[in-house]
Amino acid sequence: MSVSGSDRRAFLDTLFFTSLAAVAVAVLAPVPFFLLPPARARVRRVIVGLAAELRPGTARKFAYGERVGVVLHDGTALRVFDARCTHQGCKVNWDPNGRFLSCPCHGAAFSSTGEPLRGPHDGPLETLPYRITASGEIEVGE
Amino acid sequence: MRVGWIEDRTGARQWFRSVRARLSRPLPLKSAGITLGSVALFLLFLQFVSGALLTVYYVPSWSDAHDSVAHIVTEVRFGWLVRSVHVWSAHMTVAIVALHLMRVFVRGAYARPREATWWCGVLLGSLVAGAAFTGQALPMDEEATGGMAVAASFADSVGAGALVRGGPYVGQATLSRMFAAHVVFIPGSLLLLITLHLALVGRHRLQGAETMEGSSSAFPRRAALSCSGALAVLAVLAVAWPAGLGSEADPLGTAEHVKPMWIFLPIYQAVKGIPAWAAPLLLAIPAGFLILVPFLPWRRPVLAAGAVLLAAAVALGVLGAMA
Ligand code: HEM
Ligand code: FES
């Protein structure tokens, strides 16, 4: 079988463009991985204040790593939530009169136990674990 | 330097002549709004210049960004003017691009053979909206943090939240991404796509003028007039109502009554009434319609559908503005 010049050129062209495509893929492949952020160490624990200083019906917000938490005293117990509204992620605020958490963005409201009361939402607020230290401080985190 | 030498080395005059010849083609009979694209181009040029100036002082830092913008508008000489031009021409660009889209839509200029011009335009429109959105995030006022939270949660519902947030939560990494998108990725893509868009317009000529011969200075004259008009409007807006700066975002909260830029008000209002998972549909449905439009042969139903979408957006936007 003889190989004509044009067959040969076509073959070389295919080889060239296939290699070019392979190089392009190899060069671009790391980009999506680069853009997806690596996992970072999370904040483990944070002291929010003295439990005795949080009066019934009041709440306090605190920074929890990059998150924002809210601790509230609903009259019977302390409750600690991630303040991130489950609708679209705005930060909820404690309404001292109505005794619920409300979101300024689209009007969602959550009860003092984190359950959705009204407005758009995607489930209850996330509860954050906490404990009271020996010196009476509220310590939020695992 | 002799002109002949420059011409020989660069071909500048020949190039200039061919551009002028293209711009001097006769206009179609129905040419209302024919300069809207040119005005968009002119305003984007102003955006590039004023934006480049702002990067000299702006600091993309979660804690210092707001201060740096306040510094620009209060202390830097003419800083208020540069920022005001950037902000006002952003509003105008968005509005003019929307009008340009509507004109092309109503005229049916998206149809064969201009499908690629239209899709390129749809991408350009999304990029312009993206530029407005990411720009709004940069001053780190209350609107900015609210907007970033919402964008991240939109992205979450299609599984791309981490890509927007840059981490598990909205924070410095999110602002860095907004900044990178606003000053590098979006402007770069805009430049590429505008070049393509204009090349395609040149290739297919203006709708209704495909077979017209001869040369006319109507287009360049009208384009220059429209751009001067836009510049005058911009100057009045920018000087008489210098762009305001919202108060610094509270790191622990979202402020009451934060609202996004007007173009996003329809979405802002619509998400109140639908479950979170359905939110991306608010973008997908209009986008899908615009992408498919060149394939839909029925003129009247398509026009009607466009009118319904527009009416819904305006109604939602007005409700959102009053809420
Ligand atoms: C960055 C934004 C944009 C710029 C700078 C731009 C620029 C231009 C210019 C200068 C023209 C020629 C004359 C005219 O009709 O105005 C044009 C035509 C056109 N544009 Fe755009 N454009 C943009 C966005 C869009 C969008 C969002 C669409 C639609 C989705 C679009 C679709 C078209 C079409 C189909 C034509 C041809 C119109 C005809 O032949 O009558 N463009 N554009
Ligand atoms: S983000 Fe809270 S109601 Fe929409």
Side-chain angles (χ1 to χ4, degrees), chain A:
Chain A
M1 201 180 85
S2 75
V3 177
S4 76
S6 67
D7 277 353
R8 202 182 139 100
R9 192 159 314 131
F11 172 73
L12 287 176
D13 276 356
T14 315
L15 193 68
F16 175 71
F17 286 111
T18 319
S19 329
L20 205 64
V23 171
V25 168
V27 169
L28 294 178
V31 172
F33 293 95
F34 178 86
L35 290 177
L36 274 176
R40 272 192 295 184
R42 293 195 179 188
V43 183
R44 298 233 171 253
R45 295 196 187 128
V46 41
I47 302 279
V48 179
L50 285 170
E53 283 177 359
L54 194 67
R55 278 174 292 106
T58 65
R60 172 183 303 171
K61 281 192 169 176
F62 57 93
Y64 180 53
E66 287 183 316
R67 294 200 260 182
V68 173
V70 53
V71 50
L72 58 93
H73 192 315
D74 72 357
T76 48
L78 289 185
R79 316 236 170 229
V80 187
F81 302 106
D82 186 323
R84 188 183 178 283
C85 176
T86 60
H87 177 225
Q88 300 255 296
C90 294
K91 305 280 188 285
V92 296
N93 296 315
W94 176 243
D95 180 328
N97 304 318
R99 299 210 166 186
F100 55 78
L101 295 149
S102 69
C103 178
C105 286
H106 316 100
F110 302 86
S111 74
S112 61
T113 58
E115 292 303 319
L117 294 175
R118 59 178 155 77
H121 64 82
D122 190 15
L125 294 176
E126 183 189 346
T127 315
L128 298 177
Y130 76 95
R131 63 190 193 93
I132 306 295
T133 64
S135 47
E137 291 161 325
I138 308 167
E139 186 182 53
V140 175
E142 304 289 341

Side-chain angles (χ1 to χ4, degrees), chain B residues 9-279:
Chain B
R9 300 305 192 275
T10 63
R13 195 195 287 175
Q14 201 184 351
W15 182 80
F16 181 74
R17 282 207 185 116
S18 87
V19 170
R20 198 172 52 188
R22 276 168 183 247
L23 293 178
S24 307
R25 287 167 174 171
L27 285 179
L29 295 176
K30 294 182 175 173
S31 65
I34 203 81
T35 61
L36 286 167
S38 313
V39 176
L41 195 60
F42 172 66
L43 289 169
L44 274 176
F45 169 73
L46 294 182
Q47 292 294 89
F48 275 86
V49 175
S50 54
L53 288 174
L54 289 174
T55 61
V56 172
Y57 289 102
Y58 175 76
V59 183
S61 144
W62 191 255
S63 50
D64 299 340
H66 190 271
D67 269 4
S68 74
V69 178
H71 173 68
I72 292 173
V73 293
T74 57
E75 282 155 59
V76 175
R77 270 160 293 183
F78 292 111
W80 64 273
L81 182 62
V82 173
R83 173 154 186 270
S84 198
V85 164
H86 196 69
V87 171
W88 275 116
S89 66
H91 285 285
M92 287 177 66
T93 309
V94 171
I96 295 289
V97 168
L99 289 175
H100 173 57
L101 184 153
M102 287 186 233
R103 184 195 78 87
V104 171
F105 181 84
V106 169
R107 284 263 169 271
Y110 50 74
R112 186 188 156 151
R114 295 184 182 76
E115 298 93 329
T117 320
W118 169 261
W119 288 323
C120 187
V122 172
L123 272 177
L124 281 171
S126 327
L127 283 171
V128 166
F133 185 85
T134 51
Q136 183 181 264
L138 300 183
M140 280 302 293
D141 51 9
E142 285 157 341
E143 220 176 278
T145 47
M148 281 189 267
V150 172
S153 112
F154 257 83
D156 260 335
S157 42
V158 293
L163 211 57
V164 172
R165 271 192 299 266
Y169 310 105
V170 172
Q172 174 64 53
T174 321
L175 178 62
S176 296
R177 277 163 194 248
M178 295 291 151
F179 181 66
H182 189 77
V183 307
V184 180
F185 295 106
I186 292 178
S189 317
L190 275 173
L191 277 183
L192 282 177
L193 284 167
I194 288 173
T195 312
L196 181 61
H197 194 64
L198 296 184
L200 289 169
V201 173
R203 175 178 167 78
H204 296 297
R205 311 203 29 190
L206 291 176
Q207 186 204 30
E210 294 88 343
T211 54
M212 290 188 182
E213 299 292 339
S215 117
S216 140
S217 59
F219 181 74
R221 258 200 256 138
R222 274 174 59 181
L225 200 64
S226 305
C227 292
S228 314
L231 185 62
V233 172
L234 174 66
V236 170
L237 291 172
V239 173
W241 292 278
L245 174 62
S247 45
E248 184 162 13
D250 169 6
L252 293 186
T254 304
E256 302 286 337
H257 317 302
V258 277
K259 281 183 190 169
M261 183 182 173
W262 55 272
I263 188 80
F264 302 114
L265 282 174
I267 296 178
Y268 160 85
Q269 181 67 16
V271 294
K272 293 180 185 173
I274 60 172
W277 59 263

